[in-house]
Every structure is written in C-alpha cells, then in structure tokens.
Amino acid sequence: MQIWEPHFECMPREELEQLQLERLQATINRAYKNVTCYRNKFNELGIVPEDIRSLDDLAKLPFTTKEDLRLNYPYGMFAVPLREVVRIHSSSGTTGKPTVVGYTRNDIKTWSSLVARFMTAAGVTHDDVVQIAFGYGLFTGAFGLHYGSELIGASVIPMSSGNTEKQIMIMQDYKSTALVSTPSYAITLADRMEKMGIDPKSLSLKVGLFGAEPWSEGMRREIEERLYVRATDNYGLSEVIGPGVAGECEQRCGMHLFEDAFFPEIIDPETCEPLPPGSVGELVITTLTKEAFPMIRYRTRDITSLDYAPCACGRTMVRMKKTMGRSDDMLIIKGVNVFPSQIEEVLFAIEGCEPHYQLVVERQGATDVLEVRIEVTENIFFDEMKRQRSFLEMVEKKIDSVLGVGVTVKLVEPNTIPRHEGKALRVIDNRKI
Ligand code: DLL
C-alpha cells in the first residue's frame, strides 16, 4: 500500500510525541507572542509558554471556541501580519458573522501535503482523474482536495458543486475515476443517473472521497451499491485547516488523524474534563504546524472517539471513529440523546426506505417530539392504507428498538425533501422559533 509520508505516518509513538512536543512549544510561543486573545487568556490563568514542558501540560491551557473567533473577527486571531497571508477562507456558520481563517505560503504547502496523504491512503494515485464536486469559493473543501490531487499528480477536474447533469456528462466523457463531494451529493448524483437512464457501471469511477458532513455506514453501502465506487470518509474543519485533518486508509476502520500536524484530545463536552483513551466525547484539536492561524485546544463540537491500536496499513497515526455529528446537532428526545446519523443508520437498514429523509423537532410542553419524514417510493405501498400504516409502524418500532426513543414516521410525496449540492440539512428544529 502506498503511503505518502511514511516518515511521519509510520513514526514510532515515542518519536512522534517528541516531535509533537517540539512543535507544540513552538506553536504556543508564536501564538502567545502574536495573538492578543491567546496572550490575554494565558495571562488570566498566570501561564507563560515556558510552563508547557510536556504534552500533558497542554491540559493547563484554556480552550478556544468559535465564540473567540467571532469576538476577534475578522483578523484578530492571525499570528502573522496580513502581508504574509496568501489565502483567506471562511466557514459559513448558520448565524451571524462567518469565521475567517488565513494561510501563509507554508500553510498552503502543509495543507496540500496533508490532503495528498489522506487521498493516497484512500487509494488515489497519479493515474486518477479526480472530479471535484465541492463548491470553489470561501468553503475550504474544493481548494483543499484540488491541491492534494495536484500534488499527487492526478488530473484534476475543478467541476465545482451543482449542475448535476453536466457533472454526470463530464464524469462520462472525461472518464473520472475519483469523485470528491459530500456523501449526500453522491446520492443526488446516483438519483439523477437513474432518472437519465445512465448505468453507473458504464462510468470509470473507482473511488469516492466523501466528507464535510456526518454519514452512516448505511449511506456508505447505498453509495457503493449505486455508484460502484469504494466510498471513503475524510474529516476536517476550516478553523483547523479545512479537509486534511483525518482520512480513512484502505482498511476503513477509522480515519487516521495526522498527529504530526494536529494534537487531538477527547473531552466531556459538559464538564470539559479530558476523557481516557477510547472514550466517546468532543474532539479538541491543537494545531502543531500552522503559521497564520494557530489553534490551541479548539473545541470542534464533533463527537467521536480515538483508537490508538495499530492499524494493519502500517500507519501509527491514531484512528478517529466516524463522527456521530456535532454536539450542537444532538437532539434530546424524551431524555434520550439522538444524533441524526443514528436515525439514518436505522433507515438505511430498512428495505424500501429512500435515502432522503428529514427530521422535524417540535416541543410539546416540556418534551421534544421527533417526526421522521421519508419519501414515498414504489416499494412503499402508497395506495394501500393498511399496508402503508403497518410499514410506518415497523419503521417506528425499529427506531425505538435501536435507539430507545419513540418517534413518529411520516410519508411525504416523492421529491419533496430537498436535495443537496453541498452539506445536507437534515433537521428542521421548530423549537428555536
Ligand atoms: O467541511 C472541511 C471539509 C471539506 C472536510 C471537505 C472534509 C471534506 P467546515 O465547513 O468548517 O469544513 O465544516 C466543518 O463539518 O466540524 C464537522 O462537523 C463536519 N465534518 C467535516 N467532515 C466530516 C466528516 C469542512 N467526514 C464541520 N464526517 C466539522 C462528519 C464532518 N462530519
């Protein structure tokens, strides 16, 4: 199996920890010296960079949150003067001002190499034709995957998002072998091909590099069966670098998180206490190599766990489990914590369920009530009310037995649940209105 940077990716842990410590100290020094927000936070706790003598000492430092980035909008968290910044990206966010992130020329090099690493791990080589169906713009997805593909030497098609029929035509004519998109857009492509009467087997696609949103193993199976690709997961976030934080190797047993560039911790999102290895909790990341926009103990809000056991691929980098979603997206239904991706997993396991669903949450008195909307298909007997009812009851029971939460399942007309070109919006939360 091809490994892009064997020197780093297969480093013995002891050596890796030494490298992490050196890089951590350099990052903390730079952040303290150049970013007022970090300096103030350290001063408040009476901490100076010299106090960080081991990796364990990192736990003494305060967390950084999205709120810090908002308060320092747009350039307050930059650790270099703007003239050294060669690129600015931003993450949209749902409310208020976006988050602004910057890259120096070196940061762009590092970013390209990190993306090349997970793409190589997923099986992409210089022989591939990579079709990028992420939107080029402020979103980091397209540029990150673009740079990584070019570094590998693959042929890049910078298709951008949307334009589904053209996307399919190009895929056919240019013989794309690798598809880069959100997993939900991969389903949209499969649906459209079906409508256009195009057999995905006639395409040249081999590998799918999917990320930017949570997706279940059921969704992976659905994409693989319908697009004839090997679907791989990759993870990242703008604040930390964009894509290129972690990605699956051919074993697909968790995403290798590139620990020479990022130091991960798992904390309890309620108490903020670090959790022992293997626990499920919120991922916190400290960047170890970034120049323009260092992040110290950034709270990602993403819920996952880390596995330090060796991987058959030979990489020593820790494996991050598929994220269940963001703690902000977690729904508390009748006291039970539920992530939309868990409902998705149950739906995908049911014969006849369409891959399009939407969750609607309402508050009735003190209780949250969840309605799961799924589209009617030929497989669901729309004209026979009795069979339809028993189908719905079966889905409700299944969700209850797997997740331990009672929900109402409702059938809606075909094609009424929005299709997505970028990140899917699965939840309508009427409690906030
Ligand atoms: O989505 C960066 C990215 C682009 C990653 C392309 C992978 C591929 P943001 O727009 O800042 O950046 O959104 C980051 O998306 O905190 C997660 O909640 C979610 N996310 C990203 N990748 C995954 C994934 C990009 N593989 C936020 N699984 C993160 C689950 C993901 N969630």
Side-chain angles (χ1 to χ4, degrees):
M1 182 192 290
Q2 180 82 24
I3 298 184
W4 187 258
E5 291 242 30
H7 171 66
F8 289 116
E9 291 176 66
C10 305
M11 218 177 224
R13 191 138 285 273
E14 213 174 297
E15 222 176 289
L16 174 66
E17 286 178 358
Q18 183 55 37
L19 177 79
Q20 286 179 314
L21 180 60
E22 286 162 18
R23 291 183 166 180
L24 175 68
Q25 287 171 329
T27 300
I28 288 171
N29 267 308
R30 231 185 13 256
Y32 185 79
K33 205 168 121 216
N34 302 321
V35 184
T36 315
C37 167
Y38 286 126
R39 196 165 46 251
N40 289 347
K41 282 184 168 218
F42 286 24
N43 288 347
E44 264 169 40
L45 296 173
I47 297 172
V48 287
E50 292 69 36
D51 292 334
I52 308 306
R53 288 189 210 99
S54 69
L55 291 173
D56 288 340
D57 285 340
L58 181 62
K60 294 179 184 165
L61 296 179
F63 295 105
T64 307
T65 62
K66 202 154 189 126
E67 186 55 19
D68 293 311
L69 309 191
R70 290 219 175 92
L71 291 172
N72 291 284
Y73 177 85
Y75 299 140
M77 300 295 282
F78 284 19
V80 297
L82 210 50
R83 65 176 176 278
E84 286 176 35
V85 170
V86 299
R87 172 65 62 75
I88 290 164
H89 275 286
S90 94
S91 104
S92 56
T94 39
T95 49
K97 296 275 192 197
T99 306
V100 182
V101 299
Y103 303 72
T104 62
R105 206 173 292 282
N106 272 339
D107 289 333
I108 296 276
K109 268 196 202 153
T110 311
W111 189 22
S112 313
S113 148
L114 289 165
V115 175
R117 281 163 68 173
F118 82 72
M119 292 186 78
T120 305
V124 176
T125 71
H126 53 74
D127 290 324
D128 279 296
V129 178
V130 183
Q131 181 159 338
I132 299 189
F134 280 138
Y136 280 74
L138 289 174
F139 176 56
T140 53
F143 281 97
L145 272 292
H146 185 117
Y147 293 145
S149 308
E150 277 191 355
L151 191 59
I152 289 174
S155 316
V156 187
I157 306 175
M159 181 63 206
S160 208
S161 59
N163 239 329
T164 305
E165 290 193 5
K166 190 161 176 205
Q167 198 84 248
I168 294 168
M169 185 193 83
I170 286 190
M171 207 175 275
Q172 282 181 308
D173 296 350
Y174 299 6
K175 305 201 174 354
S176 312
T177 58
L179 171 67
V180 169
S181 71
T182 54
S184 52
Y185 191 58
I187 295 282
T188 303
L189 282 166
D191 284 350
R192 190 65 64 89
M193 282 183 208
E194 219 170 86
K195 253 198 208 143
M196 291 163 73
I198 292 170
D199 179 5
K201 270 193 198 143
S202 67
L203 301 172
S204 311
L205 283 185
K206 280 189 328 214
V207 59
L209 299 128
F210 304 119
E213 64 182 10
W215 52 309
S216 60
E217 286 303 321
M219 181 123 163
R220 190 199 306 260
R221 281 191 300 275
E222 169 104 13
I223 294 174
E224 295 202 323
E225 279 163 18
R226 295 183 63 197
L227 282 183
Y228 296 96
V229 287
R230 201 178 146 76
T232 61
D233 193 7
N234 69 86
Y235 167 87
L237 61 165
S238 336
E239 296 87 338
V240 164
I241 204 158
V245 175
E248 283 179 330
C249 65
E250 286 177 15
Q251 305 293 324
R252 298 195 298 182
C253 51
M255 295 180 274
H256 288 285
L257 190 146
F258 298 126
E259 290 177 274
D260 51 311
F262 309 104
F263 187 86
E265 297 172 85
I266 296 288
I267 62 160
D268 178 326
E270 300 294 323
T271 63
C272 293
E273 285 303 315
L275 294 174
S279 319
V280 174
E282 180 181 334
L283 178 67
V284 170
I285 296 180
T286 300
T287 63
L288 301 175
T289 57
K290 271 172 75 196
E291 294 181 343
F293 199 77
M295 278 288 106
I296 296 174
R297 303 195 87 199
Y298 184 69
R299 290 192 60 178
T300 65
R301 300 276 169 196
D302 291 317
I303 303 296
T304 183
S305 62
L306 299 174
D307 183 355
Y308 288 86
C311 178
C313 74
R315 288 176 183 79
T316 49
M317 305 269 124
V318 69
R319 280 168 292 143
M320 161 183 170
K321 217 175 153 214
K322 227 173 197 318
T323 76
M324 294 164 82
R326 298 172 62 77
S327 53
D328 330 355
D329 293 338
M330 189 181 79
L331 305 166
I332 304 177
I333 308 296
K334 296 169 189 145
V336 181
N337 298 350
V338 181
F339 284 95
S341 60
Q342 291 175 295
I343 304 246
E344 179 182 297
E345 190 68 66
V346 178
L347 293 179
F348 273 101
I350 297 171
E351 183 78 26
C353 264
E354 271 284 284
H356 305 287
Y357 66 95
Q358 202 165 45
L359 309 179
V360 183
V361 202
E362 311 271 355
R363 178 152 297 150
Q364 286 177 5
T367 348
D368 292 338
V369 182
L370 179 62
E371 181 178 274
V372 178
R373 294 184 182 165
I374 50 179
E375 285 184 358
V376 174
T377 64
E378 283 166 19
N379 298 329
I380 302 173
F381 305 95
F382 193 46
D383 45 355
E384 288 181 45
M385 290 307 283
K386 229 172 115 194
R387 294 177 79 175
Q388 192 191 105
R389 191 59 242 154
S390 68
F391 175 80
L392 293 179
E393 277 168 10
M394 183 270 286
V395 180
E396 283 167 359
K397 266 202 196 119
K398 193 100 188 170
I399 294 177
D400 197 356
S401 71
V402 178
L403 302 179
V405 62
V407 302
T408 313
V409 178
K410 187 180 163 192
L411 282 182
V412 297
E413 294 287 329
N415 293 313
T416 51
I417 293 176
R419 306 303 196 245
H420 307 278
E421 292 176 353
K423 296 180 192 243
L425 202 79
R426 304 284 192 200
V427 181
I428 302 175
D429 193 342
N430 292 329
R431 295 169 304 180
K432 288 175 189 155
I433 298 172

